[in-house]
Amino acid sequence: MNTLTTNEWEKYAQFYPEEYQKFLKRINRASEVLTSDGEPEVAPTPKQVVWTRNKTKLYRYISDQPKKHKIPLLMVYALINKPYVLDLTKGGSLVEYLVNKGFDVYLLDWGTPGYEDRHMKLDDFIMDYIPRAVKKVMKKSNVDEVSLLGYCMGGTMTSIFAALHPELPIRNLVFMTSPFDFENSGSYGEMLNEKFFDVDKVVDTLGVIPPEMIDMGNKLMKPMANFYGPYVSLVDRADNEKFIKSFKLLQKWLNDGIPFPGEAYRQWIRDFYQKNKLIKGELVVRGQRVDLKNIKANVLNLSGQNDLIAQPHMVEGLMDSISSMDKQYLNLPVGHTSITFGSQATKITYPTISEWLSERSN
């Protein structure tokens, strides 16, 4: 699509009614955003790599400000997309917010799996990677306890890790829109029903699941809104540069997907969506049955009222299955992504997490 230069626009615009001029100007700006604007910079908070394994990196965020809280925080993201959504832009970053509040923050970045990683299972991430990252965090921060924050699938994996490692000193667990009870998983459950979806054939054929397939599944939850909605909003609000900045940041992240290791995907679909084994106490990871009652750490469990991926009841289902004495469930007025990026995130999510952790991290 060709866009008009400023001189060309001024030449032709004068012949149209004012309202139509404004509309055409928005069309032209939206075209620039989609065709010629550069990609936005992401992950602005300074960090250093403190540990690696295969494609995975453990980051520690750097700050000139003194640490105010003794207990460090390790963030664990899903095996889908990239974790910089937690550090998307200055002023719109959960990482930046917590670092500025004096927390010692770490992030586990799974990297980009290749075909050679197709045999990796959830067992490997939960039993090999997360425990080693936790021990590295405690060593680097010179502490004997740690807090973990799991977002989306990362929270589900973190809960399994915590249940299987009661010997590790986990003081606090924060879960953000993480599904635990898959009994009624909405459109996802319908799409992934074992009567219609042969996960074995998919994994055996592809080896690793391409990000486009995952993205398509997410968009089919609300196809009109997800396929066309962002572009309609862009045209409607193309005269708002603040909106355009947010649009470009979010679209960059949404389109920056990564492959899903095949064996881990097989487990995720079969054991969770099709069999709901975690909440039933039937999930087995590397020969060990996962009992969520082994979780005794302090727990903050956050869901989003508008979340179609991890619906509130799927998130809240954790609460009756854990043994924690200090546990809190909150259903925030956000969606699956807007819990971590956007105006509601900065006003509600960030302060909620910071204040809760502050009281439990010294």
Side-chain angles (χ1 to χ4, degrees):
M1 180 183 294
N2 293 325
T3 58
L4 296 175
T5 66
T6 301
N7 289 337
E8 289 173 331
W9 168 253
E10 292 176 349
K11 177 181 177 181
Y12 295 111
Q14 59 182 315
F15 300 109
Y16 296 101
E18 182 178 356
E19 184 176 342
Y20 195 50
Q21 288 182 36
K22 292 179 180 179
F23 174 70
L24 289 177
K25 190 173 182 179
R26 294 200 307 271
I27 288 283
N28 195 58
R29 180 68 186 107
S31 298
E32 290 176 346
V33 171
L34 297 174
T35 61
S36 59
D37 275 12
E39 285 196 349
E41 294 185 6
V42 295
T45 309
K47 60 183 179 294
Q48 61 181 171
V49 178
V50 296
W51 175 77
T52 63
R53 181 183 175 94
N54 192 13
K55 313 291 174 56
T56 299
K57 295 178 181 178
L58 176 63
Y59 297 116
R60 185 183 193 183
Y61 289 91
I62 303 168
S63 174
D64 295 332
Q65 300 184 30
K67 299 291 187 295
K68 298 178 182 178
H69 308 289
K70 176 184 176 182
I71 307 301
L73 175 67
L74 170 61
M75 294 181 166
V76 181
Y77 187 56
L79 300 177
I80 308 165
N81 288 102
K82 295 184 179 178
Y84 64 73
V85 68
L86 292 162
D87 183 33
L88 206 49
T89 187
K90 285 186 176 296
S93 162
L94 177 57
V95 167
E96 176 193 51
Y97 187 93
L98 293 175
V99 168
N100 289 342
K101 290 294 183 179
F103 288 95
D104 192 2
V105 181
Y106 295 77
L107 172 68
L108 199 54
D109 183 343
W110 301 116
T112 303
Y115 186 72
E116 66 277 11
D117 300 307
R118 63 192 181 279
H119 298 303
M120 291 190 68
K121 303 177 69 175
L122 293 178
D123 305 41
D124 301 314
F125 296 104
I126 292 167
M127 302 300 288
D128 297 332
Y129 286 71
I130 300 179
R132 285 172 171 79
V134 165
K135 292 174 182 177
K136 177 60 70 172
V137 166
M138 291 192 294
K139 183 177 180 180
K140 292 292 292 185
S141 295
N142 193 29
V143 295
D144 54 11
E145 288 183 286
V146 66
S147 297
L148 284 91
L149 182 151
Y151 179 24
C152 182
M153 179 189 182
T156 315
M157 295 167 63
T158 297
S159 73
I160 299 168
F161 155 76
L164 291 176
H165 294 85
E167 80 284 358
L168 290 178
I170 303 170
R171 181 184 289 193
N172 304 304
L173 290 168
V174 178
F175 300 113
M176 291 171 49
T177 60
S178 298
F180 302 101
D181 185 352
F182 294 76
E183 183 64 33
N184 297 298
S185 50
S187 298
Y188 257 155
E190 295 299 322
M191 287 189 289
L192 299 172
N193 190 304
E194 58 187 326
K195 295 179 181 178
F196 315 111
F197 186 78
D198 189 339
V199 67
D200 290 328
K201 183 173 290 186
V202 171
V203 173
D204 294 343
T205 301
L206 298 175
V208 295
I209 310 305
E212 295 81 5
M213 180 175 167
I214 305 295
D215 183 56
M216 178 65 71
N218 289 336
K219 287 179 176 176
L220 285 174
M221 300 285 284
K222 290 184 70 176
M224 291 299 293
N226 291 327
F227 283 106
Y228 303 109
Y231 304 104
V232 173
S233 297
L234 175 61
V235 173
D236 286 344
R237 304 176 67 181
D239 52 359
N240 183 334
E241 288 299 320
K242 183 177 180 180
F243 170 82
I244 286 177
K245 178 183 177 182
S246 295
F247 174 89
K248 292 197 293 186
L249 285 164
L250 198 54
Q251 289 302 307
K252 174 179 173 59
W253 175 72
L254 289 171
N255 294 321
D256 201 7
I258 59 174
F260 199 132
E263 289 304 321
Y265 180 80
R266 193 194 310 267
Q267 288 176 286
W268 181 240
I269 301 303
R270 172 166 291 148
D271 289 354
F272 295 84
Y273 280 97
Q274 295 181 347
K275 303 294 186 182
N276 198 21
K277 289 184 177 181
L278 176 61
I279 210 72
K280 292 179 179 178
E282 299 172 358
L283 182 67
V284 175
V285 171
R286 199 168 284 176
Q288 298 183 56
R289 187 179 69 84
V290 179
D291 187 352
L292 292 172
K293 290 196 178 298
N294 288 336
I295 295 178
K296 299 178 181 179
N298 307 321
V299 169
L300 175 63
N301 192 17
L302 304 177
S303 66
Q305 294 175 12
N306 307 314
D307 192 345
L308 296 178
I309 295 176
Q311 297 176 53
H313 70 271
M314 299 172 66
V315 177
E316 188 178 10
L318 174 75
M319 304 308 287
D320 290 335
S321 299
I322 57 179
S323 300
S324 307
M325 298 298 294
D326 181 352
K327 56 184 178 179
Q328 184 176 10
Y329 167 74
L330 295 174
N331 188 19
L332 306 181
V334 296
H336 194 72
T337 302
S338 58
I339 195 171
T340 191
F341 176 68
S343 59
Q344 293 296 87
T346 56
K347 293 176 184 176
I348 300 174
T349 309
Y350 299 0
T352 296
I353 293 173
S354 176
E355 291 167 12
W356 187 87
L357 280 174
S358 295
E359 297 174 0
R360 298 162 175 82
S361 296
N362 294 313

